[in-house]
């Protein structure tokens, strides 16, 4: 709601994220869309969401909501109609322009029959969800209780490659709790890029984080060293191109291992 207000958007747009993902930041579609707002990788990058093997900001609620606001604002600027903007968010402005051309209309219900089936259902779903969330009490729908502290966070500035395990231990948290506050993280090491990273922690943990920062950094280095030692002890992986006539016993003799080991590695 804060982000929607910042962009001067209708607050009802927040219900679109329920249609998209059930407000699950870890939601993935079969075509590769991710996060609460279900951005495709290319679209996410257009709106400055960082997507790497370390981090996927499509799963960051605040950052992805800002991206969704920018995208929807652009679509509303094109059509001056929120239903049309929602349709374009779902199927792309190209499909909406095509439907407008074929129908000769400029409103959602006018172009309805020329839109993809999913988009035909998309806007009515949003209308239904908005109605239900606004008038739930008239239909004996009771909101389930939620743990308010889990949704209240502050940000702390990390200036080095800190480890989740070290941060969690020093803040008297579990790694799973820290991940819950930071669903965009793909690795358990803070990505050190562009001078640092803002990590989300519970509101009562920020002061402890800065007090314990040196200990966290020391513990993180120890974890990294343990990881380096473990990696060094791992056997080197060799790939063999299987040629015609070769079987597992022949390959095993060549590399001085057993057939059972070959089967286990492959």
């Amino acid at each position: 709601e804060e982000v929607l207000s910042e962009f001067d958007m209708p607050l009802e747009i927040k219900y679109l994220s329920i249609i998209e993902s059930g407000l699950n930041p870890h939601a993935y579609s079969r075509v590769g869309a991710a996060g609460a707002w279900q951005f495709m990788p290319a679209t996410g990058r257009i709106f400055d969401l960082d997507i790497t093997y370390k981090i996927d900001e499509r799963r960051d609620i605040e950052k992805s909501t800002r991206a969704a606001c920018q995208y929807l604002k652009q679509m509303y600027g094109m059509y001056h109609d929120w239903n049309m903007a929602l349709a374009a968010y779902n199927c792309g402005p190209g499909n909406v322009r095509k439907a407008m051309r074929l129908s000769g209309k400029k409103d959602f219900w006018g172009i309805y029959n020329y839109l993809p089936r999913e988009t035909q259902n998309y806007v009515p779903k949003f209308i239904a969800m908005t109605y239900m969330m606004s008038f739930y009490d008239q239909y004996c729908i009771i909101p389930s209780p939620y743990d308010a502290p889990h949704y209240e966070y502050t940000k702390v500035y990390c200036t080095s490659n800190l480890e989740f395990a070290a941060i969690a231990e020093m803040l008297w948290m579990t790694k799973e709790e820290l991940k819950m506050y930071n669903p965009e993280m793909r690795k358990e090491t803070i990505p050190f890029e562009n001078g640092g990273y803002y990590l989300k922690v519970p509101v009562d943990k920020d002061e402890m984080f800065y007090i314990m920062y040196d200990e966290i950094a020391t513990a993180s280095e120890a974890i990294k060293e343990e990881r380096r030692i473990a990696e060094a002890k791992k056997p080197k992986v060799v790939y063999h191109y299987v040629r015609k006539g070769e079987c597992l016993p022949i390959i095993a003799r060549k590399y001085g291992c057993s057939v059972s080991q070959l089967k286990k590695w492959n």
Side-chain angles (χ1 to χ4, degrees):
E1 289 179 345
E2 289 174 7
V3 175
L4 289 166
S5 297
E6 180 185 325
F7 281 85
D8 195 26
M9 301 274 285
L11 289 184
E12 290 82 4
I13 294 293
K14 64 188 177 185
Y15 301 132
L16 192 66
S17 62
I18 302 176
I19 299 297
E20 288 286 356
S21 67
L23 260 183
N24 176 12
H26 296 285
Y28 275 91
S29 77
R30 55 185 173 76
V31 294
W37 294 93
Q38 289 292 283
F39 275 104
M40 293 294 286
T43 311
R45 291 188 178 98
I46 289 172
F47 293 97
D48 298 323
L49 295 178
D50 198 4
I51 304 168
T52 68
Y53 72 97
K54 289 183 179 180
I55 191 169
D56 188 344
E57 290 184 338
R58 295 177 297 171
R59 305 192 317 204
D60 183 300
I61 295 291
E62 185 177 334
K63 291 177 181 178
S64 64
T65 302
R66 289 182 183 281
C69 286
Q70 293 175 53
Y71 190 6
L72 286 164
K73 273 277 192 180
Q74 282 188 11
M75 297 302 102
Y76 182 76
M78 292 171 63
Y79 306 111
H80 306 289
D81 180 290
W82 281 113
N83 284 342
M84 293 285 277
L86 295 176
Y89 185 88
N90 179 250
C91 68
N95 282 317
V96 171
R97 285 194 297 270
K98 179 181 177 182
M100 291 171 65
R101 186 174 68 253
L102 293 172
S103 66
K105 305 291 185 179
K106 294 184 178 180
D107 66 288
F108 175 76
W109 302 110
I111 68 171
Y112 179 87
N113 290 326
Y114 298 89
L115 289 168
R117 178 64 60 86
E118 181 184 342
T119 309
Q120 289 178 347
N121 295 330
Y122 187 75
V123 173
K125 276 183 181 179
F126 171 74
I127 294 170
M129 181 60 69
T130 301
Y131 181 87
M132 187 183 74
M133 297 295 279
S134 300
F135 302 106
Y136 62 88
D137 55 335
Q138 297 183 21
Y139 299 92
C140 299
I141 298 173
I142 302 171
S144 61
Y146 73 100
D147 191 350
H150 280 169
Y151 297 90
E152 298 170 358
Y153 65 82
T154 187
K155 297 176 184 177
V156 293
Y157 187 71
C158 306
T159 56
S160 61
N161 289 323
L162 304 181
E163 294 285 336
F164 260 44
I167 297 170
E169 181 181 359
M170 298 298 174
L171 298 186
W172 293 84
M173 298 174 66
T174 65
K175 284 196 300 182
E176 287 67 33
E177 286 176 318
L178 198 54
K179 287 178 182 177
M180 186 196 71
Y181 282 94
N182 298 273
E184 72 277 11
M185 303 298 293
R186 283 178 156 172
K187 299 290 183 181
E188 293 185 358
T189 302
I190 304 299
F192 183 68
E193 297 170 2
N194 302 322
Y197 187 81
Y198 284 99
L199 184 73
K200 294 184 282 292
V201 297
V203 289
D204 58 344
K205 300 286 187 179
D206 55 339
E207 187 176 351
M208 188 187 302
F209 174 83
Y210 290 115
I211 291 173
M212 302 295 292
Y213 193 89
D214 289 344
E215 286 83 352
I216 293 172
T218 301
S220 294
E221 286 304 316
I223 292 171
K224 287 190 185 66
E225 183 60 27
E226 288 177 7
R227 191 178 295 142
R228 282 193 289 268
I229 293 171
E231 286 293 326
K233 289 181 178 179
K234 282 185 179 180
K236 183 181 177 182
V237 176
V238 175
Y239 293 93
H240 175 81
Y241 180 78
V242 182
R243 292 170 176 79
K244 186 177 181 180
E246 286 186 327
C247 57
L248 291 184
I250 291 174
I251 298 170
R253 283 198 298 273
K254 180 175 181 178
Y255 291 96
C257 62
S258 66
V259 171
S260 60
Q261 285 176 313
L262 282 180
K263 289 182 176 180
K264 181 180 178 182
W265 298 330
N266 296 272

